[in-house]
Amino acid sequence: MKYLALAWLCLCLTPVFAQISEELPELEIPAQAEETWEQLFSELREQPLSLAGRADLFSKNPQIHLNGRWQLPRAELLALYNRDLNKDLDAFSFRLAVGSNHWDAVLGNYRLRFGRGLALGTSSRSMPDSLFSFQNPLSPRNYGLLGAGTAYRHKALRATVFASMQSREAKLDAEGRIRSIQKSRGEEFSSTTESILGAAAGISLPSVNAGILCQRLEYDREFVNPEMSRTHWMASAYAGLKLKRIRLDAETLLQDTHPAALLNFNYKAAGFEQNISYARNGLQNRQPHALTPALLSKTTDSNEWNFDWAFALPLKSSLKLRYAINNDAGGSPLSRFIGSLTHSHKQRKFGFLFQSYDSEIITRIDSSYVSSEPRNHRFRLWGRYPLAGALEQNFDFMYGVQDKKNHSQNSFRAKLGFAYVEKDWELTLEYLSWQNLHESWQSDEFDPWLQSLCASEDRVLSLDLAWGRGAWKLAVKGTASFLDVKNRGISLRATWKRK
């Protein structure tokens, strides 16, 4: 009854679509990896010349990562390298970005976001600040655009043209037709050539953004699915409007005669924000560089409503709520409810999270997911606070209810950590324990779409020691699993920056 009353309250209030970071992890796998890479780029950009290296020496997944950045006058060069020691696989990517008062240009590996990202986007579901923009590449093992693009701006006018051509791994049938196209490099399958050519134009004013995008996508092989052709044409239109505290924006997409759409209403006041959003799913797996939203169902032509709101509370606290429902044409509606209460003051941060969702949402993503209850619930409690002087403690505990009759089948994840900082040194000790968690918890930050099925339970102890002075920062981290011998090893990190 309490949950029904809370859900009824969600529907009666005017809701929101602002992204809540405490989303179901299974729905936000690419976003988790993107956040990690954005943090890396932020660190590299602290000085004009930066080099970083990392070696993960684990028997189950040993890897070496090298990253570099060089800031030139009105230009930036990024270089990324990854080596998988188990597969003897090398992956390299680079991006050269050049800018001026009226022009921006990129060469190499890049991403382009237009409007809300239905045709071209990133993992972000936030409202865009510009009509279109070139974005950082991710891991060299992930496929992005590979080629060149240029954007022009003059007063309110905006225009861009872009091109991409690359060989992508694909699963083929006996006749050489495409079954599926891989999202990451593994050199385990055959290949197909992907060619993209597109252009966009529009206007950008302080209160209005509007534009159109046209794109042609082609592969050099036929598809097994007769409904999928080698060539795909798509057109997208976006418009955004600002009216004091109100923001409206919408994007529509037409691809191979199939429509998709995302409409959003946002309102902000002092200490309060609310959105309401509607989305119509387009054709799946035919827009390889599009937005990857946290959809409850990926079925084509399904309709989804998201309602979010957030407001500030006394004592440096805030409350966020979300209710989402998807009218899936292939089955019964799916829904989730999320409530997040957080407190942040100086170095003290605490939070409580409640999630309730249809178990079928996870089942469609992770076929190994088993639940005796049609409705599942998760509870999360986390915090970070200083103990004494430079000593800090953090904890993170999550419990999921999947089987009310047999509690041993429910899942939990508990982490307890301590951090000590003294001048140039930083020491971190963490203990992590989990049971019956799913593939998404073991997603690879360098290849978020390649998820390894972990053991049903594990106990892990890690110790991280870092030292930094001047241009150098060195660190070593040891990880020891009590139940999985393959999850034991060390990670070495080194960063050099020149002013």
Side-chain angles (χ1 to χ4, degrees):
M1 290 299 295
K2 291 182 179 179
Y3 170 72
L4 291 176
L6 193 54
W8 176 84
L9 177 62
C10 295
L11 292 173
C12 290
L13 293 175
T14 307
V16 189
F17 180 69
Q19 179 166 351
I20 295 180
S21 59
E22 299 88 348
E23 180 60 271
L24 291 172
E26 291 83 352
L27 302 179
E28 292 283 273
I29 293 170
Q32 297 171 41
E34 182 165 344
E35 181 180 358
T36 300
W37 279 91
E38 289 300 329
Q39 291 176 356
L40 170 64
F41 290 134
S42 178
E43 294 175 359
L44 291 176
R45 290 190 171 107
E46 291 178 356
Q47 298 295 342
L49 179 60
S50 300
L51 301 174
R54 172 174 144 187
D56 294 329
L57 306 179
F58 291 80
S59 58
K60 68 176 182 180
N61 191 23
Q63 297 189 41
I64 295 176
H65 320 284
L66 301 175
N67 311 295
R69 173 187 175 269
W70 188 17
Q71 179 65 51
L72 301 168
R74 297 199 173 190
E76 179 189 62
L77 177 63
L78 288 174
L80 311 171
Y81 171 79
N82 169 263
R83 179 171 180 81
D84 189 319
L85 299 178
N86 271 350
K87 298 180 180 179
D88 194 24
L89 169 66
D90 294 288
F92 174 79
S93 65
F94 80 96
R95 189 199 69 176
L96 176 63
V98 181
S100 68
N101 294 333
H102 297 287
W103 291 91
D104 287 318
V106 293
L107 176 67
N109 301 88
Y110 67 98
R111 293 181 299 158
L112 175 64
R113 184 183 185 186
F114 172 81
R116 277 287 183 165
L118 294 184
L120 292 168
T122 65
S123 296
S124 173
R125 299 170 66 205
S126 61
M127 189 171 296
D129 295 326
S130 58
L131 183 59
F132 49 77
S133 59
F134 294 117
Q135 302 288 319
N136 293 320
L138 293 182
S139 162
R141 289 170 58 186
N142 299 145
Y143 287 107
L145 297 173
L146 175 58
T150 183
Y152 174 74
R153 55 186 174 271
H154 177 69
K155 297 182 180 180
L157 300 179
R158 301 289 186 271
T160 183
V161 292
F162 58 94
S164 173
M165 178 177 287
Q166 62 185 315
S167 178
R168 292 186 58 164
E169 293 183 43
K171 292 183 179 180
L172 307 179
D173 67 357
E175 299 179 6
R177 296 176 300 180
I178 301 174
R179 292 187 179 275
S180 64
I181 298 176
Q182 305 306 110
K183 296 182 179 180
S184 58
R185 295 174 174 85
E187 294 187 356
E188 300 174 351
F189 306 103
S190 301
S191 63
T192 180
T193 300
E194 173 191 88
S195 303
I196 297 176
L197 182 62
I203 60 171
S204 180
L205 298 169
S207 59
V208 177
N209 278 322
I212 58 173
L213 166 75
C214 293
Q215 177 179 283
R216 181 180 183 270
L217 170 66
E218 183 179 16
Y219 296 98
D220 65 343
R221 295 177 181 268
E222 300 290 345
F223 284 82
V224 172
N225 186 348
E227 297 181 357
M228 295 184 65
S229 62
R230 292 172 48 182
T231 303
H232 303 284
W233 286 91
M234 64 182 73
S236 178
Y238 172 80
L241 176 65
K242 297 180 182 179
L243 297 172
K244 295 183 179 180
R245 297 179 178 178
I246 296 177
R247 293 187 66 178
L248 299 169
D249 76 329
E251 182 177 358
T252 60
L253 170 70
L254 183 65
Q255 181 186 16
D256 300 336
T257 71
H258 289 269
L262 179 60
L263 295 82
N264 186 73
F265 166 82
N266 172 272
Y267 172 80
K268 278 187 178 182
F272 177 76
E273 181 177 1
Q274 66 173 0
N275 289 1
I276 181 169
S277 175
Y278 163 79
R280 177 183 173 88
N281 296 355
L283 295 172
Q284 294 303 311
N285 301 319
R286 301 198 196 181
Q287 299 133 264
H289 305 286
L291 170 72
T292 54
L295 295 174
L296 305 183
S297 170
K298 295 185 178 180
T299 302
T300 302
D301 296 334
S302 63
N303 301 294
E304 181 160 309
W305 289 89
N306 278 267
F307 308 94
D308 291 4
W309 67 94
F311 49 91
L313 299 177
L315 303 178
K316 308 292 183 179
S317 302
S318 62
L319 176 66
K320 296 181 181 180
L321 300 173
R322 163 175 289 178
Y323 177 75
I325 185 168
N326 187 298
N327 295 315
D328 188 345
S332 58
L334 303 177
S335 68
R336 71 179 179 275
F337 170 76
I338 299 176
S340 171
L341 179 64
T342 59
H343 166 79
S344 178
H345 181 59
K346 295 182 179 180
Q347 294 180 302
R348 298 191 304 271
K349 295 184 178 181
F350 300 93
F352 175 75
L353 176 68
F354 171 72
Q355 300 168 325
S356 178
Y357 56 94
D358 292 319
S359 59
E360 190 177 352
I361 295 174
I362 310 300
T363 302
R364 294 188 179 188
I365 301 171
D366 178 7
S367 59
S368 67
Y369 186 82
V370 178
S371 174
S372 64
E373 296 294 329
R375 193 76 183 175
N376 284 190
H377 313 281
R378 290 181 186 174
F379 305 86
R380 180 188 174 201
L381 181 66
W382 60 271
R384 187 177 71 198
Y385 50 92
L387 288 178
L391 182 63
E392 180 183 86
Q393 179 177 342
N394 66 82
F395 66 90
D396 193 340
F397 177 76
M398 193 199 78
Y399 186 81
V401 180
Q402 299 164 224
D403 191 331
K404 294 181 180 180
K405 297 178 181 179
N406 185 359
H407 293 288
S408 65
Q409 298 301 312
N410 292 330
S411 64
F412 71 82
R413 180 178 184 269
K415 183 177 73 172
L416 178 64
F418 297 89
Y420 181 79
V421 180
E422 182 65 31
K423 294 183 178 180
D424 302 329
W425 295 89
E426 182 176 352
L427 179 66
T428 303
L429 176 66
E430 287 188 345
Y431 176 76
L432 174 64
S433 174
W434 75 75
Q435 171 184 292
N436 289 336
L437 288 180
H438 314 292
E439 293 179 326
S440 63
W441 291 103
Q442 293 297 298
S443 63
D444 186 345
E445 69 185 76
F446 291 91
D447 186 1
W449 292 278
L450 180 62
Q451 302 173 37
S452 58
L453 181 62
C454 63
S456 60
E457 60 177 336
D458 204 350
R459 312 287 184 267
V460 179
L461 183 67
S462 63
L463 181 66
D464 193 335
L465 178 62
W467 171 85
R469 179 179 297 174
W472 286 96
K473 183 175 182 180
L474 306 175
V476 57
K477 181 179 180 179
T479 301
S481 169
F482 295 93
L483 303 180
D484 184 3
V485 294
K486 294 184 178 181
N487 193 23
R488 299 174 183 174
I490 61 173
S491 177
L492 306 174
R493 308 186 303 278
T495 304
W496 177 81
K497 301 175 183 178
R498 190 184 73 180
K499 295 182 179 180

